Amino acid sequence: MERTRVFSGVKPTGHLTLGNYLGAMRRWAEVDQHRSEALFCVVDLHALTVDHDPARVRRLSRQAATLLLAAGLDPELCTLFVQSHVDEHARLSYLLECVATDGEMRRMIQYKEKAAREQRRGGSVRLSLLTYPVLMAADILAYGADEVPVGDDQTQHVELTRDLAVRFNQRYGHTFVVPKATPPKVAARVMNLQDPVSKMGKSDDSGPGIVYLLDEPEVVEKKVMRAVTDSGRDVVYDPQERPGLANLLEILAACQGGNPEALDGVYESYGALKKDTAEAVVELLRPVRARHRALCADPAYVEGVLRRGAEKAREMARPRVDAAYRAIGLLPA
């Protein structure tokens, strides 16, 4: 029986956060790489969809790969690589652009939000921001992935991937596996500590609300203790009415491997909850930071992992992408 194939990636547009770890990376390390044939990718091509500093993209790409290893990804169990090192992503992306529609792209929530924000500033977004969901679809479909572990903010893109796979298969013959999104059960979307109705995004500028994986323990503690809470004294789990409190309860539950509902009414004060949450986050990240320091002292090891990962990924993707080129009507090289 063939193992389930899983693909997921992380975009090097900022320093990785607690949200990245609880929402994705920990599950990749503890669950996905053990139960499936797993591919994990630093999707650096996606980082080019916005204004960027080339040197920073390279630095963050290397840091992201190192942190993925520090979080527990084992190159003996999974395939870890950088997107731009495997040409099949870009090759397949163009074919899928020939299957996708303009309307589908413009309905993507992230595009609409970012385009509107830029328009208010008097500017415009790059064309690649409009089409990047197609590149994301290519990332997934090139490998015949069955599952895509994502946070709830990315499920729309996986649905687009499914639609493109079905449409291509119907028009040109069965070529692609139709994948499904598999969101984590707890802390799928860790929120900003200073703005608990917004995601804790690595691209944000509001540093006090974001816990970065490489933050020092005292910095983590300060950020959590200063987290925005809600009116009222009782410590209850109510994401709709009390999002700040719910965010802290979800973070604490995720750190402990529990459920936020089970913490409803356990604490008598916000201060006690914040103290326990800060301690839990510090302890959760301690081994990740230690492993990251060790890996930074051995950059040749990380480079070797990425080189071998790209070679393996290329071997997996090329036959399917070549088949897609033939199916859509292109002459073989």
Side-chain angles (χ1 to χ4, degrees):
M1 180 178 176
E2 289 188 8
R3 290 205 300 170
T4 298
R5 184 171 290 181
V6 167
F7 177 93
S8 201
V10 63
K11 185 163 58 174
T13 50
H15 299 287
L16 296 180
T17 72
L18 177 66
N20 297 123
Y21 185 72
L22 291 178
M25 295 164 62
R26 183 173 65 171
R27 176 181 167 181
W28 298 350
E30 294 180 356
V31 178
D32 292 322
Q33 69 174 344
H34 297 282
R35 71 172 179 87
S36 60
E37 187 176 20
L39 299 104
F40 300 110
C41 183
V42 178
V43 287
D44 55 342
L45 294 175
H46 291 294
L48 309 186
T49 61
V50 295
D51 288 340
H52 63 277
D53 171 26
R56 185 170 187 264
V57 170
R58 284 190 290 269
R59 185 171 65 253
L60 290 175
S61 296
R62 188 175 295 109
Q63 183 187 87
T66 306
L67 277 169
L68 288 171
L69 290 169
L73 291 191
D74 183 347
E76 298 298 320
L77 297 175
C78 68
T79 303
L80 175 62
F81 64 104
V82 175
Q83 180 189 32
S84 62
H85 294 176
V86 180
D87 293 344
E88 278 61 36
H89 292 254
R91 289 180 62 209
L92 181 55
S93 182
Y94 179 73
L95 292 197
L96 296 179
E97 284 187 12
C98 298
V99 176
T101 68
D102 176 74
E104 285 175 315
M105 297 300 98
R106 296 187 188 278
R107 285 195 295 272
M108 293 290 109
I109 293 171
Q110 291 192 20
Y111 169 76
K112 290 198 294 185
E113 290 177 348
K114 291 180 180 179
R117 187 162 59 242
E118 195 61 33
Q119 191 173 28
R120 287 194 296 271
R121 297 172 179 168
S124 62
V125 296
R126 298 182 180 190
L127 177 62
S128 55
L129 184 67
L130 178 66
T131 60
Y132 101 88
V134 177
L135 177 57
M136 180 176 173
D139 298 339
I140 298 163
L141 297 180
Y143 298 99
D146 304 288
E147 297 181 8
V148 189
V150 291
D152 57 7
D153 60 321
Q154 290 291 337
T155 53
Q156 186 186 34
H157 292 148
V158 180
E159 287 303 313
L160 173 70
T161 301
R162 290 171 55 84
D163 291 343
L164 295 180
V166 169
R167 190 178 306 153
F168 192 102
N169 290 346
Q170 290 175 341
R171 289 181 181 176
Y172 306 115
H174 186 78
T175 307
F176 299 116
V177 173
V178 181
K180 65 178 181 179
T182 54
K185 295 178 181 178
V186 178
R189 198 176 192 193
V190 178
M191 311 307 278
N192 189 300
L193 295 173
Q194 292 298 316
D195 181 16
V197 296
S198 300
K199 188 179 74 164
M200 187 183 283
K202 59 183 176 295
S203 305
D204 294 344
D205 297 324
S206 51
I210 304 169
V211 174
Y212 297 104
L213 296 186
L214 296 178
D215 277 346
E216 296 292 337
E218 57 271 21
V219 174
V220 173
E221 183 177 356
K222 182 181 294 185
K223 289 179 177 179
V224 176
M225 294 303 293
R226 293 181 177 178
V228 169
T229 50
D230 315 282
S231 59
R233 291 187 174 185
D234 51 329
V235 182
V236 296
Y237 181 65
D238 187 346
Q240 296 301 318
E241 297 297 325
R242 305 176 74 178
L245 199 55
N247 189 36
L248 289 171
L249 290 168
E250 288 199 357
I251 291 171
L252 178 58
C255 289
Q256 297 175 339
N259 195 301
E261 283 90 347
L263 296 171
D264 195 308
V266 169
Y267 287 91
E268 295 183 358
S269 70
Y270 291 169
L273 170 62
K274 288 182 175 181
K275 183 175 182 296
D276 281 3
T277 303
E279 290 177 357
V281 173
V282 167
E283 290 308 310
L284 181 76
L285 299 184
R286 192 182 302 279
V288 177
R289 295 176 64 252
R291 176 68 173 150
H292 178 265
R293 283 195 300 272
L295 289 166
C296 285
D298 189 6
Y301 171 76
V302 177
E303 291 170 7
V305 167
L306 295 177
R307 183 174 59 255
R308 292 187 295 273
E311 291 169 356
K312 185 177 178 182
R314 203 174 297 119
E315 291 174 0
M316 296 170 70
R318 183 164 294 164
R320 184 170 283 99
V321 176
D322 285 348
Y325 267 62
R326 292 192 299 271
I328 206 169
L330 301 177
L331 286 172

